[in-house]
């Protein structure tokens, strides 16, 4: 299994498309941090003005935690696209390269091949989230320092400086689980075809449409929304609530993992039936 996973990782990281997301965020996140650092006080003044005269805010609120949270909030919705670029190619890439027959004539079962491709996809997602976390936190904290975190999630919340780090760690881990779901969906679509374009476009289309339905304030869509997995992909935000609603978080993560298992099972079934002779 280790050899299979190593081979799949080699296939992933030898392709230039794998590094598009790293290059994009590697350039854009520092620019975004710089932009927030020079104009963030204006944003904070507007934010504090809405509190009225009932609160007196002191201290360094335009700090690294605040900027990292803004970057996390603004960019995380775009991460699935870069994850899909790799996930959509996991199986379809074999069809494009014409390597299905060579792959399946080796003394390994189709089940092991599917498992190794999924694990390789999950490892890629983990490396990407790790890179995203590093680029969001380290430059922000180095350039702007630490302090309490002021955020607005339906209500104003001020989180003490010593109570922030574990929230970011768990938020990034939950974002990783959300990206594993994206990998699973992309791999599922990828197992149907021999060209990666369809799975990439299909995966993003499903995610974007589901996200739009989640946001529509109409009764019919509000009834549908709880059945769409995208509603639970923003579970990372719940770690910044005060107090943290652990029951809601566990429910969201359970739904995400349930979908990952479902997509894996359908992919396994599809790949076991796949005809490589025609």
């Amino acid at each position: 299994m280790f050899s299979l996973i190593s081979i799949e990782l080699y296939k992933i990281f030898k392709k230039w498309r794998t590094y598009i997301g790293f290059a994009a965020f590697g350039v854009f996140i520092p620019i975004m941090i710089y932009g927030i650092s020079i104009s963030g006080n204006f944003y904070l003044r507007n934010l504090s003005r809405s509190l009225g005269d009932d609160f007196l805010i002191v201290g360094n609120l335009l700090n690294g935690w605040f900027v990292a949270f803004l970057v996390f909030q603004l960019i995380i919705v775009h991460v699935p696209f870069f994850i899909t670029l790799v996930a959509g190619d996991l199986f379809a890439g074999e069809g494009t390269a014409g390597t299905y027959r060579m792959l399946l004539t080796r003394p390994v079962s189709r089940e092991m091949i599917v498992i190794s491709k999924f694990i390789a996809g999950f490892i890629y997602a983990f490396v990407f989230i790790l890179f995203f976390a590093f680029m969001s936190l380290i430059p922000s904290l180095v350039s702007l320092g630490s302090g309490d975190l002021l955020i607005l999630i339906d209500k104003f919340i001020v989180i003490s400086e010593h109570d922030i780090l574990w929230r970011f760690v768990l938020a990034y881990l939950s974002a990783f689980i959300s990206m594993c779901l994206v990998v699973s969906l992309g791999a599922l679509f990828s197992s149907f075809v021999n060209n990666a374009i369809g799975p990439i476009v299909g995966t993003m289309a499903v995610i974007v449409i589901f996200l739009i339905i989640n946001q529509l304030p109409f009764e019919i869509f509000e009834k549908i929304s709880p059945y769409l997995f995208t509603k639970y992909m923003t579970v990372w935000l719940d770690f910044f609530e005060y107090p943290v609603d652990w029951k809601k978080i566990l429910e969201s993560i359970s739904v995400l993992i349930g979908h990952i298992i479902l997509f894996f099972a359908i992919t396994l079934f599809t790949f076991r039936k796949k005809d490589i002779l025609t």
Side-chain angles (χ1 to χ4, degrees):
M1 176 56 76
F2 180 77
S3 298
L4 281 175
I5 296 171
S6 300
I7 292 170
E8 293 302 328
L9 287 173
Y10 172 75
K11 291 177 186 174
I12 289 174
F13 285 98
K14 79 173 184 179
K15 294 179 180 177
W16 66 269
R17 74 171 67 180
T18 301
Y19 301 96
I20 294 177
F22 292 99
F25 284 159
V27 172
F28 184 65
I29 289 179
I31 294 175
M32 193 172 174
I33 292 171
Y34 175 73
I36 295 173
S37 66
I38 61 174
S39 57
N41 280 321
F42 176 75
Y43 174 78
L44 277 173
R45 277 197 299 273
N46 287 335
L47 201 63
S48 58
R49 191 175 298 141
S50 58
L51 291 172
D53 298 326
D54 297 328
F55 296 89
L56 177 63
I57 298 177
V58 296
N60 176 28
L61 291 180
L62 184 60
N63 55 55
W65 298 118
F66 176 76
V67 174
F69 179 82
L70 280 184
V71 172
F72 201 165
Q73 193 173 22
L74 293 174
I75 290 183
I76 193 67
V77 294
H78 304 292
V79 171
F81 172 72
F82 298 106
I83 299 294
T84 305
L85 286 178
V86 170
D89 196 48
L90 283 175
F91 291 93
E94 304 287 354
T96 303
T99 54
Y100 261 136
R101 291 186 183 183
M102 185 180 70
L103 181 67
L104 296 178
T105 51
R106 298 172 60 192
V108 291
S109 66
R110 295 194 180 199
E111 290 80 4
M112 296 295 282
I113 292 172
V114 173
I115 293 171
S116 64
K117 285 184 177 296
F118 266 72
I119 292 177
F122 294 161
I123 291 174
Y124 168 75
F126 180 77
V127 172
F128 197 97
I129 292 297
L130 198 63
F131 174 78
F132 180 82
F134 178 85
M135 290 301 300
S136 301
L137 285 173
I138 303 303
S140 302
L141 289 170
V142 169
S143 59
L144 296 170
S146 184
D148 294 342
L149 174 62
L150 172 66
I151 56 177
L152 173 61
I153 307 175
D154 298 328
K155 57 188 176 184
F156 284 100
I157 300 173
V158 179
I159 302 174
S160 175
E161 180 180 359
H162 70 272
D163 197 28
I164 297 175
L165 180 60
W166 69 269
R167 294 175 188 268
F168 269 97
V169 172
L170 293 181
Y172 285 122
L173 286 175
S174 63
F176 163 64
I177 294 174
S178 296
M179 293 308 110
C180 285
L181 189 151
V182 176
V183 170
S184 304
L185 182 61
L188 169 62
F189 288 162
S190 181
S191 68
F192 293 141
V193 297
N194 293 326
N195 189 304
I197 295 176
I200 293 169
V201 174
T203 304
M204 286 310 301
V206 169
I207 292 174
V208 169
I209 290 171
F210 281 10
L211 285 173
I212 291 172
I213 292 175
N214 289 145
Q215 298 298 321
L216 290 175
F218 301 104
E219 186 177 357
I220 185 172
F221 297 114
E222 289 176 346
K223 289 181 178 177
I224 296 173
S225 186
Y227 300 99
L228 305 180
F229 61 79
T230 47
K231 179 178 176 62
Y232 307 94
M233 288 178 66
T234 54
V235 59
W236 66 272
L237 270 173
D238 294 329
F239 289 102
F240 295 95
E241 291 280 0
Y242 195 86
V244 175
D245 188 345
W246 293 104
K247 183 180 178 182
K248 181 183 176 186
I249 289 173
L250 289 175
E251 179 187 334
S252 298
I253 290 177
S254 298
V255 171
L256 294 175
I257 293 176
H259 277 82
I260 292 171
I261 294 172
L262 175 65
F263 295 154
F264 170 78
I266 298 174
T267 305
L268 188 60
F269 177 79
T270 304
F271 194 68
R272 290 174 69 179
K273 300 292 184 184
K274 195 171 187 66
D275 180 13
I276 62 168
L277 300 177
T278 58

